Amino acid sequence: TYDVGASLTYARSFGEADLSVTLAVYNLFNNTRVTAVDQDLQTDIGNELNPTFRYGTDYQTPRYAQLKVKVDF
């Protein structure tokens, strides 16, 4: 699997104060690849076969963004 992210920062000074605004986007292409698989062939009860054997149980985190505002004075 791979994950591509991007961030953009805007910085400005106001006298003695410094403002910084950052927008970060994670999993930019919104990949949803499987990261874990059900590996149990048989269930715990009896000898029945597990219907979810070899199906994905965990996936990549979907795209999300973070906005950060910072003021130094």
Side-chain angles (χ1 to χ4, degrees):
T1 63
Y2 62 92
D3 188 3
V4 176
S7 67
L8 181 66
T9 301
Y10 173 78
R12 180 148 187 198
S13 275
F14 296 100
E16 295 182 16
D18 295 324
L19 172 69
S20 174
V21 179
T22 303
L23 175 65
V25 179
Y26 302 94
N27 196 4
L28 188 62
F29 300 125
N30 203 23
N31 292 326
T32 55
R33 296 183 189 260
V34 175
T35 59
V37 177
D38 188 353
Q39 298 179 5
D40 295 327
L41 178 60
Q42 293 182 336
T43 61
D44 293 337
I45 302 170
N47 290 328
E48 297 178 23
L49 295 180
N50 184 0
T52 60
F53 176 62
R54 297 173 76 181
Y55 280 82
T57 58
D58 199 12
Y59 301 87
Q60 280 181 287
T61 305
R63 179 187 315 128
Y64 64 100
Q66 178 183 37
L67 179 66
K68 181 170 67 169
V69 178
K70 180 173 125 178
V71 178
D72 292 327
F73 53 92

